[in-house]
Amino acid sequence: MAGHSETKNMPFAVKDCALITRMGGVDTAVNLRELRERIKVCPEACLFHHFMETLVRPSFDDPEFRNDFAVWSARYLRDRVLAERLGILNPYKFDNLKHLRETVVEIIDDRLSEMPFVPSVPKGDDFIFMQATTVVFDAGLTLDSPFELQKILPELSYSSLYYHFIEARRRTPQRVDDFTAWCYGVGDECEQLIEAFRTIDFYYLTLPELKKTLIEAIKPISLRGRHDG
Amino acid sequence: MTAKSLAIYEEIVGRVAISQLKQIADDIEGARVVHVNSTKAGGGVAEILHWLIPLMNDLGLKASWEIVEGHDEYFNVTKSFHNGLQGNHVVLTPSMIEVYEQTVGKNADRLRPVLEEADFVFVHDPQPAYLLKLCPNRKGKWIWRCHIDVSHPYRKVWSYLKGLVSGFDASIFSMPHFAQSLPHAQFIIAPSIDPLSEKNCDIPQKEISATLKKFGISPELPVLTQVSRFDRFKDPVGVIEAFSLLNHAVEAQLVLAGGGATDDPEGEAVYREVVDAAQGNDRIFVLQLPSDAHRTINALQRASSIVIQKSLQEGFGLTVTEAMWKGKPVIGGNVGGIRLQVHNHHTGYLVDSPEGAALRMRELLRQPEKMLRIGQTAKQFVRENFLLTRHLREYLTLMAGFRHGLENDLIRV
């Protein structure tokens, strides 16, 4: 745990966030070649939005893929092969968005080379590039010990969960969730919690599923922690 | 409409949603926010402002609502703007523009002090848009809130209006597909419904039964309902065709309920077509209701097993959201905002033909447990994303974002 002692015994201020979405400033794409060209030049904020922020956007949908490029490929281009190749990408496994962008472009290039024509969609089904600003605010709650998470998780908003467990990975130096970063600073007694957080395959879960998974994962550890403490 | 306070929404949306609003609003406490439109009565924009202003004040902002007043001549011009923005070829003469600019000019003399002092000015739709040019000493941010689908405007109208709205600090559209390219940030804020309005509030079963009885609708047979104006784009005749295709394979009743059409020659003609198409089938009820029959519509939707919105062209389609809030599966036309809301097997079915609608009616009516499951899913989506608290949160987030610099991806307030 060396290097994390600065957070030892520090209380954890729970935050929440809200998104305001805007047009990405890139032309829409009506076919796969255009999608490739736009992805190559779009702001990184667009990539982040279409891969990572899909969970916290107001929606009536719970699509089978977590990123918008895969959803569009399946739903509008009707190319399930491409959708699956894009859908399996976990953006958090990439060092940075530049590498993610290169990989997406490569996947599309491969697919274009396999097809005898460039698949396109009718006007109205075009891919619209978006981005968002995240506004972070205090949730009005402070935790003294990671073992309190079990108690507060059911009450935590989905956007707060997104901010601490998912969005955190782009801003923490260790590229981990905020709970893990906090546990690092607390000490050895949190090892099991850290392990529980680490094993959650969060990217493929909806926020309600993630919340349930987290609660289940830390339940026995939290109980033990309470008894030990 | 009576102003409601934030506290009464807590029971519906939960403590956390209300707490989020308070936390974001803290950051912009005391901000002077002015909304400007052209009417306090009637229409979707007025409906929104009637709840938005009191709730913003409840959160510690200083929100007010101003209207641009004008005579018929002015409203005829703005109606042409409206139609032109939606793609209709309309006539726009220099004298019409003069009427528009002069009318807004007179209003500007009255409104200038409050508008120039405001921290945020939200100008709704094109009617008041010229105010921006007449308020040169603006202190705050001016945002054009466009409620219309301007994706395919009539070029001559858009070229004039673009000149007016380009000077705003930002614009807001209801859906990405409704937006136009402008030289400032274009935000997306989807519409919402008020769960406590007459249209959407819970009503007693007794009232629902009385409504059915009033129109002679049997409480024993499933009801399918489409609520819409008698307008060809809503395809009421297509709905009757779909219902007829059921051919008594499943026993049901169809209700087509629409607003008063007496002042609309085309509406009256479509109403006649619908009545003709329904003739001879005593299980089809064509109801011409007054425009304020919100509770009746509410009761009819709640009495329904399935709600239909088989439009051929549609904006966001808030009637779909309203039906989902009542826990109903929706069979909707594969167009506009209906596509955002209805997802096959999940919140209902999208259809492209009367045959498709008939197929899904039959499928759902034969599987009551599926209707129930879809209805519950739909209601949960609306609760989490399409009630007015989410709408308000996005306005607050936008204002907080402006205060801290929207060029950043992440802002801590």
Side-chain angles (χ1 to χ4, degrees):
Chain A
M1 302 293 165
H4 304 294
S5 56
E6 67 278 6
T7 55
K8 191 166 176 64
N9 297 327
M10 288 279 282
F12 186 97
V14 181
K15 302 284 181 189
D16 204 337
C17 72
L19 247 59
I20 181 76
T21 312
R22 70 173 109 166
M23 304 297 279
V26 181
D27 285 344
T28 64
V30 294
N31 61 48
L32 188 53
R33 195 179 300 284
E34 282 187 2
L35 183 74
R36 177 199 183 278
E37 296 311 314
R38 312 285 190 260
I39 289 174
K40 261 186 104 171
V41 298
C42 73
E44 286 197 342
C46 289
L47 281 184
F48 187 81
H49 180 71
H50 292 298
F51 268 98
M52 281 92 146
E53 291 175 333
T54 52
L55 284 175
V56 271
R57 226 173 27 196
S59 164
F60 282 95
D61 201 6
D62 179 15
E64 56 180 325
F65 301 109
R66 284 283 151 250
N67 74 72
D68 288 331
F69 302 115
V71 172
W72 188 72
S73 301
R75 194 171 287 167
Y76 299 109
L77 284 181
R78 300 190 184 282
D79 183 346
R80 289 201 60 86
V81 173
L82 176 63
E84 288 167 8
R85 287 176 187 171
L86 292 170
I88 194 67
L89 294 177
N90 178 346
Y92 293 96
K93 296 286 183 203
F94 289 81
D95 292 338
N96 51 48
L97 289 167
K98 183 172 168 272
H99 289 152
L100 174 63
R101 190 196 304 264
E102 286 165 1
T103 304
V104 173
V105 169
E106 205 175 304
I107 289 171
I108 297 177
D109 276 341
D110 279 348
R111 190 62 185 145
L112 279 167
S113 74
E114 292 165 2
M115 303 189 86
F117 60 92
V118 177
S120 62
V121 298
K123 188 84 184 143
D125 287 348
D126 37 349
F127 188 93
I128 300 183
F129 285 81
M130 309 290 296
Q131 56 180 293
T133 297
T134 307
V135 172
V136 183
F137 50 93
D138 208 332
L141 186 66
T142 304
L143 305 181
D144 291 322
S145 155
F147 295 103
E148 290 175 43
L149 279 170
Q150 178 68 28
K151 195 174 72 188
I152 63 110
L153 268 175
E155 294 296 311
L156 212 59
S157 71
Y158 292 132
S159 44
S160 180
L161 188 62
Y162 163 79
Y163 178 72
H164 286 304
F165 203 76
I166 301 179
E167 200 278 341
R169 291 161 206 261
R170 77 162 161 167
R171 61 185 151 74
T172 51
Q174 310 97 320
R175 298 177 57 77
V176 292
D177 63 275
D178 283 335
F179 304 140
T180 297
W182 184 36
C183 285
Y184 281 158
V186 171
D188 293 344
E189 68 263 38
C190 290
E191 265 178 15
Q192 283 183 302
L193 275 178
I194 293 170
E195 183 57 15
F197 296 145
R198 194 188 62 76
T199 52
I200 292 174
D201 201 2
F202 67 93
Y203 183 66
Y204 303 98
L205 301 175
T206 63
L207 289 172
E209 286 165 351
L210 174 60
K211 185 189 252 193
K212 200 172 156 204
T213 308
L214 260 174
I215 291 170
E216 288 302 316
I218 67 172
K219 199 176 192 174
I221 307 165
S222 297
L223 286 172
R224 226 172 14 254
R226 203 179 300 154
H227 293 145
D228 295 348
Chain B
M1 186 174 168
T2 321
K4 302 182 191 90
S5 74
L6 205 55
I8 60 171
Y9 288 98
E10 190 168 327
E11 208 173 299
I12 296 168
V13 298
R15 185 188 55 78
V16 172
I18 301 297
S19 159
Q20 287 177 327
L21 296 176
K22 289 178 178 167
Q23 297 286 356
I24 306 171
D26 265 359
D27 186 64
I28 44 172
E29 191 183 359
R32 289 158 299 182
V33 184
V34 185
H35 289 265
V36 193
N37 79 324
S38 61
T39 176
K40 285 221 173 184
V45 178
E47 230 173 79
I48 291 167
L49 294 178
H50 270 296
W51 61 256
L52 187 64
I53 307 287
L55 293 189
M56 280 188 170
N57 284 318
D58 223 10
L59 285 163
L61 280 68
K62 292 179 180 153
S64 61
W65 177 3
E66 304 291 346
I67 59 164
V68 167
E69 293 162 349
H71 296 295
D72 288 353
E73 220 183 346
Y74 162 75
F75 287 111
N76 286 337
V77 177
T78 59
K79 181 75 187 167
S80 294
F81 284 168
H82 191 277
N83 290 338
L85 286 177
Q86 291 193 307
N88 298 328
H89 285 226
V90 293
V91 176
L92 189 63
T93 62
S95 67
M96 288 168 79
I97 290 176
E98 201 180 321
V99 167
Y100 171 70
E101 292 183 353
Q102 275 180 1
T103 307
V104 180
K106 280 180 200 157
N107 282 275
D109 294 339
R110 176 174 55 88
L111 298 173
R112 194 172 290 111
V114 66
L115 295 180
E116 287 191 337
E117 284 302 311
D119 297 302
F120 298 98
V121 176
F122 290 92
V123 171
H124 294 261
D125 286 338
Q127 293 91 333
Y130 187 57
L131 282 171
L132 180 96
K133 292 206 167 179
L134 304 172
C135 295
N137 302 312
R138 304 182 294 277
K139 287 191 180 157
K141 298 291 182 190
W142 282 53
I143 298 135
W144 184 50
R145 200 330 173 188
C146 181
H147 298 266
I148 308 165
D149 175 357
V150 296
S151 53
H152 300 95
Y154 179 47
R155 204 177 57 78
K156 285 180 184 164
V157 171
W158 178 241
S159 108
Y160 170 69
L161 287 172
K162 188 176 179 183
L164 301 187
V165 300
S166 291
F168 281 76
D169 295 294
S171 49
I172 303 173
F173 295 91
S174 296
M175 281 169 55
H177 281 96
F178 287 4
Q180 262 292 338
S181 178
L182 286 164
H184 55 233
Q186 297 139 270
F187 294 93
I188 305 300
I189 299 184
S192 62
I193 60 164
D194 179 356
L196 297 177
S197 68
E198 292 277 282
K199 251 189 238 181
N200 298 309
C201 65
D202 278 337
I203 51 177
Q205 184 56 45
K206 214 167 85 179
E207 190 177 338
I208 297 172
S209 304
T211 305
L212 292 183
K213 195 174 174 189
K214 181 177 160 191
F215 296 113
I217 303 164
S218 164
E220 306 300 325
L221 288 176
V223 178
L224 311 172
T225 300
Q226 171 155 310
V227 176
S228 65
R229 296 190 314 274
F230 291 104
D231 177 331
R232 288 194 181 89
F233 286 129
K234 310 294 179 188
D235 199 21
V237 174
V239 176
I240 292 176
E241 201 181 327
F243 184 74
S244 305
L245 284 169
L246 280 182
N247 203 19
H248 298 288
V250 195
E251 299 295 331
Q253 303 165 99
L254 175 67
V255 175
L256 292 159
T262 47
D263 58 344
D264 175 359
E266 197 176 304
E268 186 61 32
V270 177
Y271 171 71
R272 288 279 137 227
E273 285 170 23
V274 175
V275 170
D276 287 348
Q279 214 154 36
N281 191 334
D282 60 3
R283 292 206 175 155
I284 300 178
F285 301 83
V286 183
L287 311 179
Q288 207 172 24
L289 301 172
S291 58
D292 61 350
H294 301 314
R295 276 189 91 90
T296 305
I297 298 283
N298 188 343
L300 287 170
Q301 286 174 323
R302 286 181 188 278
S304 304
S305 299
I306 302 165
V307 170
I308 320 281
Q309 189 61 58
K310 213 196 97 41
S311 305
L312 304 172
Q313 192 174 308
E314 190 59 77
F316 187 81
L318 273 178
T319 50
V320 171
T321 324
E322 285 162 8
M324 288 183 176
W325 174 241
K326 292 164 186 116
K328 306 300 172 186
V330 176
I331 297 174
N334 190 9
V335 292
I338 300 176
R339 292 154 51 114
L340 289 183
Q341 302 183 64
V342 177
H343 293 277
N344 288 342
H345 305 283
H346 203 54
T347 53
Y349 289 102
L350 287 175
V351 296
D352 294 276
S353 63
E355 289 79 1
L359 175 74
R360 298 311 184 180
M361 287 174 187
R362 192 168 167 160
E363 178 180 332
L364 284 171
L365 286 170
R366 285 200 184 281
Q367 300 180 77
E369 70 293 343
K370 191 171 188 176
M371 282 198 283
L372 195 68
R373 179 179 54 74
I374 287 179
Q376 282 168 347
T377 307
K379 181 164 188 167
Q380 192 56 25
F381 273 114
V382 178
R383 187 192 305 279
E384 285 170 11
N385 295 308
F386 289 92
L387 297 183
L388 52 79
T389 39
R390 188 274 311 155
H391 199 159
L392 174 58
R393 188 185 71 215
E394 291 190 327
Y395 268 105
L396 298 173
T397 307
L398 177 61
M399 289 188 278
F402 259 121
R403 183 157 279 189
H404 293 270
L406 274 163
E407 63 281 2
N408 304 308
D409 295 340
L410 192 79
I411 296 169
R412 289 187 176 80
V413 300

